[in-house]
Amino acid sequence: MFPMFQELASHDPHDKCGHHYAICLDLKNQRFEVLDSMRSEADADLTSHAEFFINNVKETWNRHYEHSKVQIRHFPIEYVVTTNQGNTTDCGFHALEYLAKWEGRLVPAVTAATVVELRKIYTWN
C-alpha cells in the first residue's frame, strides 16, 4: 500500500491544499488498485497522478528486481469503487482506513460517524 498526496493547486506555492488517496500493489491478483474517496477513473487529474506514480514503481521494480520471478510491468490499474466522502476535508481519514483495512475484497465502509470516531481517537493519541 502506498499513501498518496496530490497537491490540488500546484501552480500556487503558498496553497498547500491537496487530496489523499491510496494505491495498492496487489501481487496475488496481479494488478494495481487505486482507492479514492472523492474521484473515479473518469477524473483526469487522478488517473494522470496515479499512472505517473505506478509507472515509476514499475520502472524501479524492473531496475531492482529484473531477475525476479515476479514481474509487474504488465499489471493493469483498477480504480476501485469506494463510498464518496460527504465533504472536501475528510479524504485523509478515508485514506487511513484504506491503508489499515484494505484486503483486496471489501472496501472499508467509512461513514460520517466513522470520521467522528477517528477524530476522537487521533486527538486522544
Side-chain angles (χ1 to χ4, degrees):
M1 292 292 287
F2 300 96
M4 302 299 296
F5 179 77
Q6 181 179 10
E7 282 188 43
L8 298 179
S10 56
H11 59 281
D12 183 355
H14 301 292
D15 187 354
K16 296 301 177 190
C17 178
H19 179 66
H20 296 274
Y21 66 100
I23 294 178
C24 175
L25 170 54
D26 186 343
L27 293 173
K28 180 181 176 186
N29 294 310
Q30 298 188 348
R31 65 183 177 213
F32 284 89
E33 299 159 336
V34 178
L35 296 104
D36 191 306
S37 61
M38 207 164 76
R39 305 173 295 179
S40 69
E41 185 175 6
D43 187 288
D45 287 337
L46 171 63
T47 57
S48 65
H49 193 260
E51 288 172 9
F52 178 79
F53 176 78
I54 289 168
N55 287 334
N56 280 305
V57 169
K58 288 178 176 182
E59 183 180 317
T60 303
W61 184 284
N62 190 47
R63 185 178 306 135
H64 294 283
Y65 301 105
E66 181 180 4
H67 302 294
S68 171
K69 287 192 279 184
V70 178
Q71 292 300 315
I72 65 170
R73 74 178 72 103
H74 67 282
F75 284 14
I77 302 171
E78 179 181 329
Y79 292 85
V80 179
V81 177
T82 63
T83 53
N84 286 339
Q85 64 191 59
N87 57 38
T88 60
T89 59
D90 290 341
C91 58
F93 293 108
H94 286 257
L96 288 171
E97 286 293 284
Y98 301 153
L99 294 168
K101 298 178 181 172
W102 178 244
E103 295 177 354
R105 292 184 306 273
L106 300 174
V107 177
V110 183
T111 64
T114 306
V115 171
V116 169
E117 289 304 311
L118 289 171
R119 287 179 189 207
K120 290 177 187 176
I121 291 167
Y122 292 130
T123 300
W124 176 257
N125 289 339

